[in-house]
């Protein structure tokens, strides 16, 4: 179980959350919902460990992840709207650099297999600067394939379906189903209510803020 | 075949490889460093006028100032691109210390600046009428000094990540910090010219560079963590 225990986050003088309490299903699919500017991305980045918590804890398996960051980051793959792709590298080189950055090494064959999972193998030698937004998103989401190899337990995804065409969304949904079947945990932000058929847990930030105000 | 290899040396080398690929593909940046340096030297030569003696006196200083000023404009880009494309967020999900990655980034930046400089050096040496016996010392001090400038520069570039007018702030932040490097670097070359012992200046130059080599990756990593948390 992943728990947000009275989490407060400030940015400068503005309070993003104060005393936020929520429980996420692990394993399972968790959707973070809320209006624009409600703090969905901030919450996701906090769970990833990028943003320091003002007060409170993020607890996984009864341990505060803030103090076990090295263990925690090994378990996660994070993909957001920025994608983390260099324009001067090809799709293949970007994926290879990302694997190496994680401290993982993989054969060319495995990297090609990963690219095939989102039908990206034919774009493998294309520079990111020449890719459309949809292709860039797919090139970033291909990383999720390696969860099965390197025992990643969590996917943290910020608006992952943005820019994807219908065929890619179907492939992506297939990846999600497979990951959930293998006891993975997915935490994602999305505005698309019809994206998932799977049973999911919703963390509605607007609702949580209203409840606290009352 | 797949394997988990989280050794620091593996990550260091693979990051060097990535940075080299990126930098050599944006050749225009490399060419601009050397062209900018060439222009600075030409401006000085034209400013001094047709007096060979004057140029001999300030030649070493001109080449050092040229190196410092030509490195600064390209520094901002080295980290800004990766900050904007989200690469640093990805780095934050690695269990490898960010300090190792930034040390590798400083080394790659240094090599990328120094390799074209060494190719262009004969031209600068002829233009500034630098004595042949001083050339090995000049190249040695500039190689060491440019490592220190790269390390300090990366600290400055980390500090301005996400800042709106970073390109204006960067020289103001970096130039005061590179003054010791300039003083001891020029000091070695001046000692050679006067046939004095250059070792004390050289050792101080090396000492400053080593200090920066140790502390700079920690400062940059701290600043980048703050930038990611914004």
């Amino acid at each position: 179980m992943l728990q947000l225990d009275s989490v407060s986050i400030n940015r400068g003088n503005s309070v993003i959350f104060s005393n936020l309490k929520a429980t996420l299903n692990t394993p399972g699919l968790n959707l973070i919902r809320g209006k624009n500017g409600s703090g969905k991305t901030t919450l996701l980045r906090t769970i990833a460990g990028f943003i320091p918590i003002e007060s409170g804890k993020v607890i996984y398996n009864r341990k505060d992840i803030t103090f076990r960051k090295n263990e925690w980051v090994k378990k996660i793959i994070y993909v957001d709207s920025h994608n983390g792709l260099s324009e001067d590298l090809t799709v293949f080189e970007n994926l290879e650099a990302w694997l190496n950055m994680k401290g993982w090494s993989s054969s060319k064959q495995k990297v090609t297999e990963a690219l095939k999972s989102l039908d990206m193998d034919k774009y493998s030698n294309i520079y990111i600067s020449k890719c459309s937004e949809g292709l860039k998103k797919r090139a970033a989401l291909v990383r999720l394939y390696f969860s099965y190899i390197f025992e990643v337990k969590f996917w943290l995804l910020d608006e992952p379906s943005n820019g994807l065409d219908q065929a890619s969304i179907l492939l992506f949904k297939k990846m999600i189903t497979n990951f959930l079947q293998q006891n993975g945990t997915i935490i994602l932000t999305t505005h698309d209510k019809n994206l998932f058929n799977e049973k999911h847990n919703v963390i509605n930030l607007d609702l949580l803020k209203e409840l606290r105000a009352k | 075949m797949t394997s988990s290899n989280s050794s620091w040396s593996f990550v260091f080398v693979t990051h060097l490889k990535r940075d080299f690929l990126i930098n050599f593909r944006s050749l225009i940046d490399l060419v601009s460093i050397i062209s900018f340096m060439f222009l600075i030297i030409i401006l000085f030569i034209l400013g001094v006028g047709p007096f060979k003696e004057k140029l001999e006196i300030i030649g070493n200083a001109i080449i050092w100032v040229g190196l410092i000023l030509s490195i600064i404009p390209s520094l901002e880009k080295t980290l800004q691109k990766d900050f904007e494309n989200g690469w640093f967020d990805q780095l934050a999900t690695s269990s490898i210390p960010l300090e190792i990655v930034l040390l590798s980034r400083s080394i790659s930046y240094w090599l990328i600046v120094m390799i074209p400089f060494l190719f262009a050096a004969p031209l600068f040496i002829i233009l500034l009428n630098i004595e042949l016996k001083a050339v090995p010392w000049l190249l040695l001090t500039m190689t060491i000094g440019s490592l220190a400038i790269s390390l300090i520069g990366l600290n400055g570039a980390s500090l301005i990540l996400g800042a709106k007018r970073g390109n204006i702030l960067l020289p103001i932040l970096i130039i005061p910090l590179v003054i010791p490097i300039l003083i001891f670097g020029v000091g070695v070359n001046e000692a050679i010219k006067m046939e004095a012992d250059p070792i004390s200046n050289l050792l101080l130059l090396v000492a400053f560079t080593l200090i920066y080599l140790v502390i700079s990756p920690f400062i940059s990593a701290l600043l980048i963590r703050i930038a990611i948390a914004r």
Side-chain angles (χ1 to χ4, degrees), chain A residues 94-109:
Chain A
N94 263 298
L95 187 56
E96 209 173 31
W98 178 83
L99 279 167
N100 295 335
M101 176 277 295
K102 279 286 218 183
W104 299 337
S105 55
S106 193
S107 63
K108 284 196 171 175
Q109 189 197 340

PDB file of all heavy atoms in Angstrom, chain A residues 94-109:
ATOM      1  N   ASN A  94      18.428   7.430 -27.775  1.00  0.00           N
ATOM      2  CA  ASN A  94      17.788   7.973 -26.576  1.00  0.00           C
ATOM      3  C   ASN A  94      17.406   6.861 -25.608  1.00  0.00           C
ATOM      4  O   ASN A  94      17.617   6.987 -24.400  1.00  0.00           O
ATOM      5  CB  ASN A  94      16.537   8.772 -26.959  1.00  0.00           C
ATOM      6  CG  ASN A  94      16.819  10.252 -27.035  1.00  0.00           C
ATOM      7  OD1 ASN A  94      17.182  10.875 -26.049  1.00  0.00           O
ATOM      8  ND2 ASN A  94      16.672  10.824 -28.216  1.00  0.00           N
ATOM      9  N   LEU A  95      16.855   5.791 -26.163  1.00  0.00           N
ATOM     10  CA  LEU A  95      16.429   4.682 -25.305  1.00  0.00           C
ATOM     11  C   LEU A  95      17.648   4.018 -24.651  1.00  0.00           C
ATOM     12  O   LEU A  95      17.639   3.690 -23.456  1.00  0.00           O
ATOM     13  CB  LEU A  95      15.626   3.665 -26.128  1.00  0.00           C
ATOM     14  CG  LEU A  95      14.967   2.536 -25.362  1.00  0.00           C
ATOM     15  CD1 LEU A  95      14.055   3.060 -24.266  1.00  0.00           C
ATOM     16  CD2 LEU A  95      14.161   1.627 -26.289  1.00  0.00           C
ATOM     17  N   GLU A  96      18.700   3.869 -25.442  1.00  0.00           N
ATOM     18  CA  GLU A  96      19.931   3.269 -24.932  1.00  0.00           C
ATOM     19  C   GLU A  96      20.543   4.138 -23.814  1.00  0.00           C
ATOM     20  O   GLU A  96      20.956   3.629 -22.771  1.00  0.00           O
ATOM     21  CB  GLU A  96      20.919   3.128 -26.084  1.00  0.00           C
ATOM     22  CG  GLU A  96      21.866   1.971 -25.918  1.00  0.00           C
ATOM     23  CD  GLU A  96      22.710   1.770 -27.161  1.00  0.00           C
ATOM     24  OE1 GLU A  96      23.012   2.771 -27.861  1.00  0.00           O
ATOM     25  OE2 GLU A  96      23.072   0.615 -27.425  1.00  0.00           O
ATOM     26  N   ALA A  97      20.546   5.472 -24.048  1.00  0.00           N
ATOM     27  CA  ALA A  97      21.100   6.404 -23.041  1.00  0.00           C
ATOM     28  C   ALA A  97      20.280   6.340 -21.759  1.00  0.00           C
ATOM     29  O   ALA A  97      20.824   6.386 -20.652  1.00  0.00           O
ATOM     30  CB  ALA A  97      21.106   7.825 -23.597  1.00  0.00           C
ATOM     31  N   TRP A  98      18.975   6.223 -21.898  1.00  0.00           N
ATOM     32  CA  TRP A  98      18.099   6.153 -20.724  1.00  0.00           C
ATOM     33  C   TRP A  98      18.371   4.868 -19.923  1.00  0.00           C
ATOM     34  O   TRP A  98      18.460   4.903 -18.693  1.00  0.00           O
ATOM     35  CB  TRP A  98      16.626   6.221 -21.162  1.00  0.00           C
ATOM     36  CG  TRP A  98      15.673   6.099 -20.026  1.00  0.00           C
ATOM     37  CD1 TRP A  98      15.270   7.102 -19.199  1.00  0.00           C
ATOM     38  CD2 TRP A  98      15.021   4.912 -19.562  1.00  0.00           C
ATOM     39  NE1 TRP A  98      14.396   6.609 -18.245  1.00  0.00           N
ATOM     40  CE2 TRP A  98      14.223   5.279 -18.448  1.00  0.00           C
ATOM     41  CE3 TRP A  98      15.021   3.588 -19.977  1.00  0.00           C
ATOM     42  CZ2 TRP A  98      13.446   4.354 -17.749  1.00  0.00           C
ATOM     43  CZ3 TRP A  98      14.249   2.667 -19.280  1.00  0.00           C
ATOM     44  CH2 TRP A  98      13.473   3.049 -18.184  1.00  0.00           C
ATOM     45  N   LEU A  99      18.535   3.763 -20.669  1.00  0.00           N
ATOM     46  CA  LEU A  99      18.835   2.483 -19.991  1.00  0.00           C
ATOM     47  C   LEU A  99      20.139   2.588 -19.213  1.00  0.00           C
ATOM     48  O   LEU A  99      20.230   2.190 -18.053  1.00  0.00           O
ATOM     49  CB  LEU A  99      18.967   1.365 -21.025  1.00  0.00           C
ATOM     50  CG  LEU A  99      17.675   0.751 -21.533  1.00  0.00           C
ATOM     51  CD1 LEU A  99      17.936  -0.088 -22.759  1.00  0.00           C
ATOM     52  CD2 LEU A  99      17.023  -0.105 -20.461  1.00  0.00           C
ATOM     53  N   ASN A 100      21.158   3.153 -19.863  1.00  0.00           N
ATOM     54  CA  ASN A 100      22.463   3.301 -19.214  1.00  0.00           C
ATOM     55  C   ASN A 100      22.373   4.211 -18.005  1.00  0.00           C
ATOM     56  O   ASN A 100      23.009   3.968 -16.985  1.00  0.00           O
ATOM     57  CB  ASN A 100      23.491   3.870 -20.194  1.00  0.00           C
ATOM     58  CG  ASN A 100      23.771   2.921 -21.328  1.00  0.00           C
ATOM     59  OD1 ASN A 100      23.583   1.713 -21.184  1.00  0.00           O
ATOM     60  ND2 ASN A 100      24.183   3.435 -22.457  1.00  0.00           N
ATOM     61  N   MET A 101      21.579   5.276 -18.127  1.00  0.00           N
ATOM     62  CA  MET A 101      21.405   6.226 -17.024  1.00  0.00           C
ATOM     63  C   MET A 101      20.797   5.521 -15.816  1.00  0.00           C
ATOM     64  O   MET A 101      21.129   5.807 -14.670  1.00  0.00           O
ATOM     65  CB  MET A 101      20.512   7.354 -17.532  1.00  0.00           C
ATOM     66  CG  MET A 101      20.122   8.412 -16.551  1.00  0.00           C
ATOM     67  SD  MET A 101      18.718   7.973 -15.541  1.00  0.00           S
ATOM     68  CE  MET A 101      17.401   7.862 -16.686  1.00  0.00           C
ATOM     69  N   LYS A 102      19.918   4.564 -16.075  1.00  0.00           N
ATOM     70  CA  LYS A 102      19.291   3.808 -14.989  1.00  0.00           C
ATOM     71  C   LYS A 102      20.262   2.777 -14.403  1.00  0.00           C
ATOM     72  O   LYS A 102      19.957   2.121 -13.410  1.00  0.00           O
ATOM     73  CB  LYS A 102      18.051   3.069 -15.512  1.00  0.00           C
ATOM     74  CG  LYS A 102      16.791   3.926 -15.617  1.00  0.00           C
ATOM     75  CD  LYS A 102      16.218   4.179 -14.250  1.00  0.00           C
ATOM     76  CE  LYS A 102      14.722   4.161 -14.165  1.00  0.00           C
ATOM     77  NZ  LYS A 102      14.234   4.487 -12.818  1.00  0.00           N
ATOM     78  N   GLY A 103      21.428   2.637 -15.056  1.00  0.00           N
ATOM     79  CA  GLY A 103      22.384   1.622 -14.619  1.00  0.00           C
ATOM     80  C   GLY A 103      22.048   0.247 -15.181  1.00  0.00           C
ATOM     81  O   GLY A 103      22.469  -0.770 -14.655  1.00  0.00           O
ATOM     82  N   TRP A 104      21.276   0.222 -16.272  1.00  0.00           N
ATOM     83  CA  TRP A 104      20.885  -1.028 -16.900  1.00  0.00           C
ATOM     84  C   TRP A 104      21.564  -1.130 -18.254  1.00  0.00           C
ATOM     85  O   TRP A 104      21.730  -0.131 -18.941  1.00  0.00           O
ATOM     86  CB  TRP A 104      19.366  -1.081 -17.128  1.00  0.00           C
ATOM     87  CG  TRP A 104      18.547  -0.986 -15.883  1.00  0.00           C
ATOM     88  CD1 TRP A 104      18.936  -1.296 -14.612  1.00  0.00           C
ATOM     89  CD2 TRP A 104      17.191  -0.527 -15.776  1.00  0.00           C
ATOM     90  NE1 TRP A 104      17.906  -1.067 -13.730  1.00  0.00           N
ATOM     91  CE2 TRP A 104      16.830  -0.601 -14.417  1.00  0.00           C
ATOM     92  CE3 TRP A 104      16.235  -0.079 -16.700  1.00  0.00           C
ATOM     93  CZ2 TRP A 104      15.566  -0.236 -13.953  1.00  0.00           C
ATOM     94  CZ3 TRP A 104      14.983   0.284 -16.247  1.00  0.00           C
ATOM     95  CH2 TRP A 104      14.650   0.206 -14.892  1.00  0.00           C
ATOM     96  N   SER A 105      21.940  -2.324 -18.623  1.00  0.00           N
ATOM     97  CA  SER A 105      22.438  -2.475 -19.992  1.00  0.00           C
ATOM     98  C   SER A 105      21.635  -3.574 -20.667  1.00  0.00           C
ATOM     99  O   SER A 105      21.208  -4.528 -20.021  1.00  0.00           O
ATOM    100  CB  SER A 105      23.924  -2.768 -20.019  1.00  0.00           C
ATOM    101  OG  SER A 105      24.197  -3.890 -19.244  1.00  0.00           O
ATOM    102  N   SER A 106      21.452  -3.398 -21.943  1.00  0.00           N
ATOM    103  CA  SER A 106      20.597  -4.331 -22.663  1.00  0.00           C
ATOM    104  C   SER A 106      21.120  -4.537 -24.069  1.00  0.00           C
ATOM    105  O   SER A 106      21.725  -3.638 -24.647  1.00  0.00           O
ATOM    106  CB  SER A 106      19.184  -3.740 -22.704  1.00  0.00           C
ATOM    107  OG  SER A 106      18.284  -4.712 -23.109  1.00  0.00           O
ATOM    108  N   SER A 107      20.877  -5.715 -24.623  1.00  0.00           N
ATOM    109  CA  SER A 107      21.355  -5.983 -25.983  1.00  0.00           C
ATOM    110  C   SER A 107      20.523  -5.179 -26.976  1.00  0.00           C
ATOM    111  O   SER A 107      19.397  -4.762 -26.677  1.00  0.00           O
ATOM    112  CB  SER A 107      21.230  -7.465 -26.287  1.00  0.00           C
ATOM    113  OG  SER A 107      19.870  -7.825 -26.236  1.00  0.00           O
ATOM    114  N   LYS A 108      21.091  -4.989 -28.179  1.00  0.00           N
ATOM    115  CA  LYS A 108      20.373  -4.251 -29.231  1.00  0.00           C
ATOM    116  C   LYS A 108      19.062  -4.938 -29.554  1.00  0.00           C
ATOM    117  O   LYS A 108      18.055  -4.292 -29.838  1.00  0.00           O
ATOM    118  CB  LYS A 108      21.245  -4.174 -30.491  1.00  0.00           C
ATOM    119  CG  LYS A 108      22.347  -3.152 -30.343  1.00  0.00           C
ATOM    120  CD  LYS A 108      22.973  -2.771 -31.645  1.00  0.00           C
ATOM    121  CE  LYS A 108      23.896  -1.587 -31.395  1.00  0.00           C
ATOM    122  NZ  LYS A 108      24.657  -1.170 -32.514  1.00  0.00           N
ATOM    123  N   GLN A 109      19.097  -6.266 -29.474  1.00  0.00           N
ATOM    124  CA  GLN A 109      17.903  -7.043 -29.793  1.00  0.00           C
ATOM    125  C   GLN A 109      16.762  -6.710 -28.827  1.00  0.00           C
ATOM    126  O   GLN A 109      15.624  -6.520 -29.241  1.00  0.00           O
ATOM    127  CB  GLN A 109      18.279  -8.523 -29.698  1.00  0.00           C
ATOM    128  CG  GLN A 109      17.211  -9.460 -30.219  1.00  0.00           C
ATOM    129  CD  GLN A 109      17.446 -10.876 -29.716  1.00  0.00           C
ATOM    130  OE1 GLN A 109      18.550 -11.228 -29.298  1.00  0.00           O
ATOM    131  NE2 GLN A 109      16.392 -11.677 -29.726  1.00  0.00           N
TER     132      GLN A 109
END
